[in-house]
Amino acid sequence: MNASSRPPNPAASSSSSVSADDDASAPGGGTLGERLDLAVERFPEREALVDVAGGRSWTWAEFARYVELLALGLLGKAVAKGERVGVWAPNCGDCALIQFAVARVGAVLVSVDPSGGAAGLREALQRSGTEILFTVEAYEDHVEEVWDDCPELRDVFPFGDGWSEPMDLGLQIGDPRRVAEREAELSAEDPVAVPYGTAETEPLTHRDLVNGAHALVGKAEDAGAGAARGGPLAELPLSHPLGTALELLAAAEHGDRVVVPPPPSPPSPPPPAGPAPLADQ
């Protein structure tokens, strides 16, 4: 579970995707990959995602290129269509890259609640059948703790300041046609996400997330917020499919951006107690 270095910021490019049964140019249509391609086509140099705590930002073209590299790496790791890929991490921009890369290869993202500790991770992995897990280096000890209890888990990739092994592998493969070939097999009705690994929850499809994002845009426009360039804050964690899809996909419709805020500061300690009052003489 070694973290490898983040690749240099590559030139903007994106593989095109094809949906078997939906018009990606229609509002609320297409797969996640197709919606991302449309945003790149319309707003390539506009800022798409800002990670305040990490001090990083991506334009739509840059974001799509990193997604493509990660998707290539997942294919190089033999991730199959429909395979469960988990992410267990605090709120960060990298979770959005993972969500879209998983979608582009036809896999299903399992978002594991970062507040659940090792016990919550174990339950989510076992119930969802997750085979690959992305996590942050600070959580690796917990992953080691549950490894023997999750026989279907075959690979764990840490990410953060040093990027993950699949991203480096995607850079080595460097052939976006492999992603396009996989995407040609996908449909808007394919599953793409399971929130927090609950096996009883029906997986969300590409159509569910794209339509949900379009509805969010409609509500914002009805409220008079359609022209705001600041973009919606990621109030839901970006490691949750609703966070990535509803915020980023909604922003993609008008070329807005998503700002991932820093984690809240811990409460300040109470002031020291003053001197005890003097007893009455």
Side-chain angles (χ1 to χ4, degrees), residues 8 59 88 106 130 195 220 237:
T59 65
W88 191 44
T130 294

Side-chain angles (χ1 to χ4, degrees), residues 29 41 47 130:
E41 186 178 314
E47 203 167 48
T130 294

